[in-house]
């Protein structure tokens, strides 16, 4: 090819590329080149900064501890390690601060307590029974991990946590652990369902937990699901088996409970499970079987529940599902072949999907340039972006080859953040810091011009995200009794807090206002009794 033809072809190609980019909604931005660690567990605190965690027994990370080293004789890689395995990321300055953690957090679980402290549980080797606390602080201040002297009742690797209405945490399962326990107080109870769903490769790990408005706990593992009455330790319902592939680690798909809605008094709960992997793909990774292409949706509060199946435009395992302020679901990260686990997947899927629960459609979003496979995370930020971190948190952090350890942090900005929506974008001008179950409250919402459509309010919890499941992710569409113009372009919006701690367990939530479907930045409110 001569130079001129090459240039023409290039111009055509790049034009097609920019056209297709322009047509696909949303955009990725790399916000940090080096987070110091590759985050496999991520949680956004109510100070707006973000806890990143990898694992301790992996060799040195890419960021040093400050004036400190870790001497842990139980560490199988580095008994003397002066690097950090947790950092606090500040989205406003795009900087990280290293924090010290002692025991191994590999494949652990977590959940925010009602007072905003993260309780983080279990992991591998010396970390299996450990309970850790991180009490967050503003970015200029100093706060650190604290390891409790009280242990879990069982050593748990690959368990899932869910906050309960009374503020305690239920910790469910783990590899070879067929029970659940309550923290910080309460007993431990055998659960046959966990044994029944443990196949030859344990496709029941990191079970999906959703606390229903009936105060029963929905538990999904492998291809099956139940409702657990956790007061009496009885299984009150067994649901139909989902068609298709196993859906939990290592055949990981992902799952959310769709937004609970004041329109039906928060009584209806629907669970969505998307993606997964061919059951043979973990043991026979050479085959690189195609991942699952299906989503199942089930109204789990119905008297006759069934899986409503649909096809996604792409196959996906190791996806993450993020509830957005619009109550749509972003399906992001993962690969199209293979299974979850180190080096076991291929064909990374760079385009997220936006699932619309009303229309039941999947909209293909603009792609990333960075594969996010095993040990990657996605979390909603209070400014409406989705923070994407981690991937291939490999031994000794390997930056070359087909599965490089990924230190870059990106954000995905859904199309609602486009400047073309700025003329609608609302701003919460005044809000309570605390709202009380069942009690009225109000916010002042400023809009740029005339009111178009209506103003809505939504609450979103901050989950603990790891291994394609965001533990404790929850959304509520709140009532809006009236939006009254009170002063220049500012509306007094009257609402009522969630009726009970069953509908919204006590915690800090992000409160978003939406104007004609375009969200504001969130404010943090404490939902409490
Ligand atoms: C929140 O509660 C936990 C557990 O009781 C405690 O360790 C932590 O210090 C508390 N945090 C705050 C900010 O009071
Ligand atoms: C990935 O899976 C698809 C669908 O099964 C298959 O056609 C393709 O050959 C697989 N890719 C690789 C690299 O094995």
């Amino acid at each position: 090819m001569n130079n001129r033809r090459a240039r023409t072809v290039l111009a055509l190609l790049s034009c097609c590329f920019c056209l297709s980019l322009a047509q696909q909604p949303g955009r990725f931005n790399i916000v940090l080149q080096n987070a110091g660690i590759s985050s496999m567990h991520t949680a956004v605190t109510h100070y707006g900064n973000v806890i990143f965690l990898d694992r301790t027994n992996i060799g040195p990370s890419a960021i040093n501890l400050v004036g400190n080293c870790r001497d842990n004789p139980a560490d199988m890689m580095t008994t003397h390690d002066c690097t950090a395995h947790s950092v606090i990321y500040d989205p406003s300055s795009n900087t990280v601060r290293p924090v010290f953690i002692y025991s191994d957090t590999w494949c652990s679980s977590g959940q925010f307590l009602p007072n905003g402290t993260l309780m983080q549980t279990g992991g591998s080797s010396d970390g299996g029974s450990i309970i850790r606390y991180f009490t967050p602080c503003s970015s200029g201040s100093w706060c650190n991990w604290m390891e409790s002297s009280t242990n879990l009742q069982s050593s748990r690797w690959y368990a899932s946590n869910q906050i309960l209405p009374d503020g305690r945490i239920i910790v469910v399962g783990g590899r070879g652990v067929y029970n659940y326990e309550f923290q910080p107080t309460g007993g431990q109870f055998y659960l046959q369902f966990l044994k029944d769903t443990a196949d030859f490769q344990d496709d029941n790990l990191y079970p999906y937990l959703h606390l229903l408005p009936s105060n029963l706990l929905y538990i999904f593992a492998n291809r099956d699901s139940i409702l657990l009455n956790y007061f009496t330790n009885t299984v009150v319902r067994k649901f139909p088996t989902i068609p298709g592939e196993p859906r939990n680690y290592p055949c990981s798909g992902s799952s959310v409970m769709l937004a609970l809605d004041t329109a039906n008094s928060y009584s209806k709960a629907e669970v969505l499970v998307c993606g997964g992997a061919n059951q043979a793909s973990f043991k026979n990774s050479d085959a690189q079987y195609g991942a699952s292409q299906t989503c199942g949706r089930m109204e789990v509060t119905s008297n006759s529940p069934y899986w409503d199946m649909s096809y996604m435009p792409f196959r996906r395992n190791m996806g993450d599902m993020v509830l957005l302020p619009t109550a749509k679901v972003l399906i992001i990260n993962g690969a199209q072949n293979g299974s979850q686990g180190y080096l076991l997947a291929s064909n990374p899927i760079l385009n997220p999907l936006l699932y619309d629960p009303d229309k039941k459609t999947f909209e293909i979003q603009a792609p990333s340039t960075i594969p996010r496979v095993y040990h990657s995370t996605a979390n909603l930020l209070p400014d409406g972006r989705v923070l994407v971190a981690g991937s291939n948190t490999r031994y000794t952090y390997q930056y070359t080859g087909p599965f490089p350890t990924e230190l870059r942090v990106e954000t995905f900005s859904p199309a609602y953040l486009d400047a073309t929506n700025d003329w609608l974008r609302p701003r919460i001008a005044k809000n309570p810091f605390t709202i009380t179950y069942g009690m009225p409250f109000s916010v002042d919402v400023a809009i740029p011009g005339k009111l178009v459509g209506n103003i809505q309010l939504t609450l979103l919890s901050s989950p603990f995200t790891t291994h394609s499941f965001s533990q404790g992710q929850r959304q509520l569409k709140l009532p809006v009794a009236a939006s009254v113009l009170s002063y220049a372009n500012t509306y007094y919006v009257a609402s009522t807090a969630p009726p009970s701690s069953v509908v919204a367990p006590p915690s800090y939530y992000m409160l978003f206002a939406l104007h004609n479907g375009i969200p504001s930045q969130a404010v943090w409110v404490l939902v409490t009794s």
Side-chain angles (χ1 to χ4, degrees):
M1 224 183 319
N2 66 32
N3 270 347
R4 195 153 148 211
R5 255 187 70 198
R7 270 205 303 275
T8 314
V9 169
L10 258 180
L12 277 173
L13 275 176
S14 60
C15 183
C16 293
F17 189 55
C18 61
L19 260 184
S20 68
L21 271 186
Q23 282 164 356
Q24 291 180 330
R27 63 179 189 282
F28 278 91
N29 288 103
I30 298 173
V31 291
L32 186 58
Q33 288 292 336
N34 181 359
I37 70 164
S38 180
S39 191
M40 77 169 81
H41 318 89
T42 304
V44 180
T45 80
H46 67 283
Y47 286 92
N49 48 32
V50 187
I51 302 168
F52 285 173
L53 261 180
D54 67 344
R55 51 185 284 196
T56 52
N57 56 4
I58 194 172
S61 75
I63 186 168
N64 286 327
L65 285 163
V66 180
N68 207 353
C69 293
R70 202 173 121 268
D71 290 294
N72 183 342
D75 192 317
M76 62 190 187
M77 292 288 290
T78 333
T79 53
H80 178 72
D81 183 357
C82 299
T83 65
H85 294 282
S86 179
V87 300
I88 307 304
Y89 166 69
D90 177 4
S92 63
S93 60
N94 288 316
T95 54
V96 291
R97 175 173 73 80
V99 282
F100 182 90
I101 193 143
Y102 184 76
S103 63
D104 189 27
T105 50
W106 182 18
C107 299
S108 54
S109 51
Q111 197 78 165
F112 283 105
L113 297 171
N115 68 5
T117 290
L118 181 72
M119 174 192 266
Q120 204 265 336
T121 50
S124 170
S125 62
D126 69 316
S129 318
I130 302 295
I131 302 175
R132 311 168 190 85
Y133 293 99
F134 189 90
T135 296
C137 58
S138 62
S139 288
S141 317
W142 182 256
C143 45
N144 221 332
W145 285 101
M146 201 270 289
E147 306 208 6
S148 173
S149 52
T150 312
N151 282 352
L152 286 174
Q153 295 165 67
S154 290
S155 177
R156 296 181 193 271
W157 199 27
Y158 300 91
S160 293
N161 297 12
Q162 168 66 50
I163 188 169
L164 298 173
D166 63 5
R168 290 183 305 159
I169 308 294
I170 189 168
V171 188
V172 180
R175 178 157 273 165
V177 183
Y178 308 126
N179 63 35
Y180 59 90
E181 66 176 91
F182 298 91
Q183 285 297 337
T185 56
Q188 173 168 284
F189 301 90
Y190 179 77
L191 185 58
Q192 180 67 32
F193 171 74
L194 293 173
K195 182 137 199 251
D196 294 344
T197 50
D199 58 18
F200 63 93
Q201 59 185 11
D202 286 346
D203 277 314
N204 68 344
L205 298 178
Y206 279 124
Y208 304 143
L209 309 180
H210 300 296
L211 178 70
L212 303 193
S214 56
N215 208 359
L216 296 167
L217 186 68
Y218 177 85
I219 308 178
F220 181 105
N222 198 328
R223 294 177 57 206
D224 286 301
S225 54
I226 56 165
L227 282 186
L228 175 72
N229 179 333
Y230 61 86
F231 295 99
T232 58
N233 189 33
T234 44
V235 174
V236 298
R237 164 161 245 162
K238 192 169 184 304
F239 290 99
T241 300
I242 195 171
E245 301 83 352
R247 310 285 178 161
N248 296 79
Y249 181 93
C251 287
S252 308
S254 186
S255 176
V256 290
M257 179 168 72
L258 298 177
L260 301 176
D261 194 342
T262 184
N264 54 47
S265 311
Y266 307 105
S267 63
K268 176 175 161 184
E270 289 186 88
V271 164
L272 186 66
V273 174
C274 291
N278 184 302
Q279 196 172 25
S281 62
F282 183 68
K283 284 268 150 52
N284 183 10
S285 65
D286 286 348
Q288 285 302 300
Y289 296 109
S292 170
Q293 201 173 344
T294 60
C295 283
R297 174 172 169 174
M298 183 163 62
E299 189 180 328
V300 293
T301 44
S302 155
N303 287 328
S304 44
Y306 64 94
W307 287 106
D308 179 9
M309 302 302 294
S310 55
Y311 278 93
M312 299 182 282
F314 307 107
R315 298 172 180 277
R316 193 179 304 254
N317 69 66
M318 288 183 280
D320 283 278
M321 288 164 79
V322 183
L323 292 167
L324 299 180
T326 51
K328 292 181 181 172
V329 185
L330 188 72
I331 307 172
I332 189 170
N333 298 342
Q336 298 178 73
N337 293 71
S339 77
Q340 195 164 49
Y342 280 120
L343 323 182
L344 299 183
S346 63
N347 207 0
I349 173 81
L350 299 172
N351 294 87
L353 295 176
L354 192 59
Y355 176 74
D356 182 329
D358 296 328
K359 299 192 183 118
K360 301 188 177 178
T361 52
F362 298 94
E363 184 184 38
I364 300 172
Q365 305 291 293
S368 174
T369 55
I370 304 176
R372 302 283 179 177
V373 288
Y374 191 41
H375 288 165
S376 57
T377 61
N379 296 66
L380 180 69
L381 291 173
D383 62 15
R385 293 178 298 163
V386 173
L387 185 73
V388 179
S391 193
N392 293 313
T393 317
R394 295 176 63 184
Y395 288 104
T396 70
Y397 274 35
Q398 297 165 40
Y399 305 114
T400 54
F403 295 92
T405 297
E406 187 53 67
L407 299 175
R408 287 174 291 179
V409 178
E410 286 169 294
T411 55
F412 177 75
S413 298
Y416 57 62
L417 290 172
D418 288 356
T420 50
N421 291 315
D422 284 351
W423 68 283
L424 289 167
R425 197 170 316 285
R427 182 175 57 84
I428 298 181
K430 191 171 157 217
N431 62 281
F433 298 110
T434 298
I435 62 176
T436 306
Y437 293 118
M439 300 300 285
F441 75 97
S442 68
V443 292
D444 284 0
V445 178
I447 58 172
K450 271 179 65 174
L451 184 69
V452 181
N454 57 14
I455 296 176
Q456 296 168 298
L457 298 176
T458 190
L459 286 175
L460 276 147
S461 68
S462 180
F464 180 88
T465 300
T466 189
H467 288 77
S468 301
F469 180 56
S470 286
Q471 303 173 15
Q473 184 168 221
R474 194 174 198 83
Q475 181 166 23
L476 284 89
K477 293 185 183 176
L478 296 178
V480 170
S483 307
V484 184
L485 185 64
S486 51
Y487 50 96
N489 291 341
T490 300
Y491 285 78
Y492 170 90
V493 180
S495 184
T496 305
S500 72
S501 57
V502 177
V503 169
S507 192
Y508 286 92
Y509 288 75
M510 291 176 259
L511 172 68
F512 289 89
L514 296 108
H515 173 213
N516 199 36
I518 300 301
S520 65
Q521 296 207 0
V523 293
W524 292 93
V525 294
L526 181 62
V527 180
T528 187
S529 51

